[in-house]
Amino acid sequence: SAANGWIEFCAGGALRVSFKVKGVPSWQLERSGRMVVTFGNCHHYCELLPSNGAHEAPMFVVRERKMKDGTPARPQRGRAMTKG
């Protein structure tokens, strides 16, 4: 399927995104190794996948989404891996 945008993990928890979102995008790495990527109205709980080689972009999968306001998140459209 076609990509609908990209995200770039920057130093200090900064996050760059290719699409228009409300607020300031950010990310953090939990002690468990899970990444919490926040942009728009949602927290995305991601898992970094094992590398396929030194010359390929890292891949991750979104395991869970939670709305910032506590309301239920919309169902995800599949569980495809994502290049980060």
Side-chain angles (χ1 to χ4, degrees), residues 7-77:
I7 63 175
E8 181 179 338
F9 298 94
C10 302
L15 184 72
R16 291 182 43 198
V17 298
S18 64
F19 32 87
K20 189 173 183 172
V21 295
K22 294 179 183 177
V24 178
S26 64
W27 72 277
Q28 67 182 34
L29 183 63
E30 295 182 332
R31 289 181 192 231
S32 66
R34 180 172 74 164
M35 297 183 308
V36 183
V37 181
T38 302
F39 57 90
N41 295 320
C42 197
H43 302 291
H44 304 76
Y45 295 86
C46 304
E47 177 185 342
L48 191 62
L49 300 173
S51 175
N52 287 330
H55 300 291
E56 291 189 22
M59 302 283 287
F60 64 91
V61 64
V62 177
R63 296 287 185 200
E64 182 180 9
R65 290 173 48 238
K66 290 185 179 179
M67 301 303 290
K68 290 180 185 177
D69 65 5
T71 60
R74 290 183 308 209
Q76 289 183 261
R77 293 176 279 161

